[in-house]
Amino acid sequence: MRYSKYFLIIIILLSVFNLYAEKPFKYVETGVNTNSWALIPAGEFHFGQHQHIKNIDYDFEIMITDVTNEQYANYLNEALEKGTIYAKKDTIWGYHPGDPFDAYLHEWEIPAGDYPHMPINEPGLRLNYENGKFSPKAGYENHPMVEVSWFGAKAYADYYGYRLPTELEWEKAARGTGTNDYPWGNTVKRNQANFISSHNLFAKMFGDVVKTTPVGFYNGNNYDGYQTVEGISPYGLYDMAGNVYQWTGDDHPKVHYRYMRGGSYQSYEYNLRVWPRNSAGPEYTSMSLGFRCARDID
Amino acid sequence: MVEWGVKDITVKLLGLDLESVERSGRIIMLYHVIAMIVTSIEVYMITSIVPMRKHQRTNINATITVGWITAMIFGMAFAYFGHNYFYHGLFLVGQSLIFFAGILLAVTLNPWNKHFLVENKEYAHTKNGYDLERIAFFVMTVSMLISAGFGAVTGSFWSNGHETFLAEDLIRQPDKTALQKSIIGYLHIMLTLIAIAITLIVGRWMDFKGKLHKFAMPIMIFGTLVISGGVWSVVWTHMAHTFIYIGSTFVMFAALLLVIYAWGKLIKDRIKEQGLKNPSFGQKFVALFHDPIKFGPFWQMVFMNFTVSGVGIFMAVKLEEIFRVWPAREERITLTGHWHIPAALIATIILMYYIDIAGIKGKLRKWLGWTIIIGSDIAFAAMTIMSMKRLFVTEYYQTPLVNWTMLATDFGLGIILILLAGVLGWRLIDLFRSDNRWSKESASPELELERTAVLTKQGRDVIKKEMEI
């Protein structure tokens, strides 16, 4: 009895650590091609909560899924070899030419220089780093790449000749030309997107610690008894509501916040709608934040 | 779930009309309805403790009662049952009546009325005997009327091109329009003035007097004027924030003097009741906590500094480390907490005040008092920790902290809501008794408290003449 309280503490600690121990889990094949792009035609669309009519006067393409851990690991290995980025103090760094400075009240200057792209040892990162090479953790290959800063996302896009979508482009790709609240309609079901209310259902399959779902997971398929409802945008894009927030490309003058769209697995329904915005400094990283790329059509 | 906090079954049962795109508007209507009711409660409190003539009290209370009931019914109907502009019109009628009651109150509180002067020199007063506490109530009321105008004028643009927005959604917008600044200023000053009003009310409840009263009242008057002026100037100058900080410091210092007085009085009264001649520190300490219903309101004021003012100052100091790094959604949680928490703490103070004037005594009084204090403090401490989680735990390990703090918040708020339902149920049952409290209370709406000012001979003569006419 004398030592019972110590045993209790040990049991609690063990259970906490066990909860957070990295558990390998099953790779889930969604059948969605992560190298596919969707064409977004030029034209007017409804933008924002108040549905202002905006126009994008050019066609462009956007990835139908977020960039995956596997894709980003491949990029890191290539770019490290070429020397466009480098590892230093548990972080991947790279050059950014700087943001225009307006000397606005409290404006934070971002001059040309090297900026952090990604922390290497952050617990939420789903990449291994061994012998100077990155690889996705088992089972996470087709999950969205997270813990990447705006600089890191932009560097990926630049490396392949792509770019990050602007907020306007992102919202048109998510909403189409209609006035829906969500990419597919005006309601969201628990098995239609990865958001806070869908967590319980999803946890039955993957376990508590796994937060993200494989990109394109909500495509109407049945995964070991877990029936999903197709959650795609009018142009066929997956995960434009929930799973992870996505960086957009614009630099907002005077503040230099970068905006994120789409909501994440931590979001309530109202943040999954097509217009709510989230923002952070460009060096911010999170396990609920990823990105996808856009590209111009020649 | 159709909307956060509203289940599908509720929507179907009540036939609610919840357009997703109109969510901000619904929240704004809900806030307005709650604020109208709280403001009306404070007006009832003021008319029951500040000396005034009977017909003035009756006029104010009658007008504001029709006002808040109309605003509540039709405001909620407009927000949740479809956009019927008949409802919106009546919502505005209700608000206008409340505003009109405010004008009546300001006229009634006219501090230069020679019919009400301070005779007991322990209360703060001018050389001519004008009551400084009455001036403080007057300044607060007039400031609130002007501030309400800020909201009303900007609100009138609604449906004329002004798009509904929540202030917390503008936090990272570098350039705000005059209209946006007005609305942000308006909502901040209204809550501030509600807080100032409740501070003055509980001060009278505790019979605030003596040196501290004489020191606190001028500070409170000056602070109210500066902070209100600061907020009104926010549209034109960034210097407004400096005025707001200065005004806040004065108001908070006046409130601190009240807390010092109130706790000292609680100890003194209890020691006297016990008949202790040379009480030890421990006995004094225990005496402070003897009556949670009277200790609570002042503790909640102190607690507000931990969960609101302290957090605000800390975040202002760490601006670069927090707002430049945290995502907007996290900043938004902290900012919405920073005004939901004081609003809810004010509500608990009102509830404790009500439990006292309702005459609840004995063990029930203690149970109710401690439940309100402990429940609300658990909830708001948990919410503060949750909103500041990034300072202590990295994102990967935040889930248990979020789960536990949310559970603690639900628990704390849950028991207070159960308690509130109990008190309301008790009053509702009482309504159907033959010898009920409602009729007694409406027959004598004046509370039996010490008054700062008294009706002068000149005032008595005027009333006498009027009666003869």
Side-chain angles (χ1 to χ4, degrees), chain B residues 386-430:
Chain B
M386 201 280 275
S387 69
M388 308 285 281
K389 59 187 178 294
R390 279 178 183 269
L391 294 177
F392 339 109
V393 193
T394 58
E395 192 184 9
Y396 189 74
Y397 299 105
Q398 279 170 7
T399 305
L401 183 104
V402 171
N403 291 345
W404 281 104
T405 49
M406 291 299 277
L407 193 67
T409 306
D410 288 346
F411 168 76
L413 293 181
I415 57 172
I416 290 177
L417 288 176
I418 291 168
L419 185 149
L420 180 62
V423 172
L424 292 176
W426 164 58
R427 291 306 305 247
L428 198 62
I429 293 165
D430 180 66

Side-chain angles (χ1 to χ4, degrees), chain B residues 136-333:
Chain B
F137 273 115
F138 175 78
V139 167
M140 177 276 298
T141 306
V142 173
S143 300
M144 198 175 267
L145 287 168
I146 297 171
S147 303
F150 245 61
V153 171
T154 48
S156 67
F157 281 91
W158 194 75
S159 289
N160 290 301
H162 164 35
E163 290 172 342
T164 308
F165 66 90
L166 293 176
E168 51 265 35
D169 287 333
L170 305 180
I171 49 178
R172 293 195 167 176
Q173 204 168 294
D175 297 312
K176 297 175 180 71
T177 64
L179 189 130
Q180 289 170 336
K181 285 178 185 170
S182 301
I183 290 178
I184 294 166
Y186 151 78
L187 61 95
H188 277 88
I189 191 63
M190 293 309 269
L191 182 58
T192 305
L193 291 167
I194 285 173
I196 290 171
I198 198 68
T199 308
L200 291 169
I201 290 164
V202 294
R204 184 72 345 256
W205 179 47
M206 289 301 286
D207 191 22
F208 191 17
K209 62 184 174 188
K211 276 184 188 168
L212 292 178
H213 189 249
K214 288 175 184 171
F215 201 32
M217 285 307 124
I219 292 173
M220 185 63 106
I221 294 164
F222 179 73
T224 307
L225 286 170
V226 173
I227 199 170
S228 302
V231 171
W232 301 332
S233 64
V234 83
V235 177
W236 299 280
T237 170
H238 194 78
M239 278 291 287
H241 289 91
T242 308
F243 293 122
I244 293 167
Y245 295 144
I246 294 169
S248 309
T249 308
F250 277 88
V251 167
M252 286 167 75
F253 187 58
L256 174 67
L257 295 176
L258 168 63
V259 172
I260 293 168
Y261 171 84
W263 282 358
K265 181 177 160 61
L266 282 179
I267 294 169
K268 233 181 273 172
D269 290 353
R270 177 61 184 159
I271 295 291
K272 198 175 165 189
E273 195 181 300
Q274 288 174 302
L276 299 171
K277 284 188 179 169
N278 292 311
S280 63
F281 176 78
Q283 285 169 321
K284 284 182 183 173
F285 190 71
V286 172
L288 177 63
F289 301 106
H290 176 70
D291 182 3
I293 290 294
K294 288 219 159 167
F295 162 77
F298 306 98
W299 163 250
Q300 299 291 66
M301 287 185 190
V302 174
F303 184 73
M304 215 180 280
N305 286 288
F306 300 125
T307 51
V308 184
S309 321
V311 172
I313 293 165
F314 177 78
M315 293 188 85
V317 171
K318 296 260 182 188
L319 195 66
E320 291 291 312
E321 290 168 48
I322 294 176
F323 291 159
R324 301 302 313 191
V325 181
W326 288 15
R329 293 278 148 192
E330 299 274 338
E331 184 185 341
R332 197 176 185 272
I333 289 171

Side-chain angles (χ1 to χ4, degrees), chain A residues 20 104 254-255 273 277 279 286, chain B residues 20 174-175 324 328 395 400:
Chain A
Y20 283 98
Y104 192 74
K254 302 177 183 175
V255 283
R273 295 174 299 179
R277 307 162 88 191
S279 65
S286 163
Chain B
S20 175
D175 297 312
R324 301 302 313 191
E395 192 184 9

Side-chain angles (χ1 to χ4, degrees), chain B residues 107-119:
Chain B
V107 172
T108 302
L109 290 174
N110 172 16
W112 296 277
N113 181 347
K114 289 186 177 169
H115 300 166
F116 295 101
L117 294 176
V118 172
E119 282 186 356

Side-chain angles (χ1 to χ4, degrees), chain A residues 65-129:
Chain A
T65 63
D66 296 331
V67 170
T68 64
N69 286 311
E70 187 165 36
Q71 288 170 325
Y72 203 81
N74 291 340
Y75 148 73
L76 285 171
N77 293 333
E78 287 177 31
L80 279 169
E81 207 172 300
K82 284 191 180 170
T84 58
I85 54 172
Y86 60 95
K88 186 183 164 189
K89 290 183 183 174
D90 291 342
T91 302
I92 297 292
W93 297 79
Y95 178 76
H96 174 65
D99 291 349
F101 185 63
D102 304 299
Y104 192 74
L105 187 70
H106 300 309
E107 184 177 353
W108 188 28
E109 192 173 0
I110 301 181
D114 288 352
Y115 288 92
H117 284 195
M118 188 195 87
I120 294 173
N121 292 324
E122 192 67 27
L125 184 70
R126 306 304 189 184
L127 301 181
N128 293 314
Y129 183 54

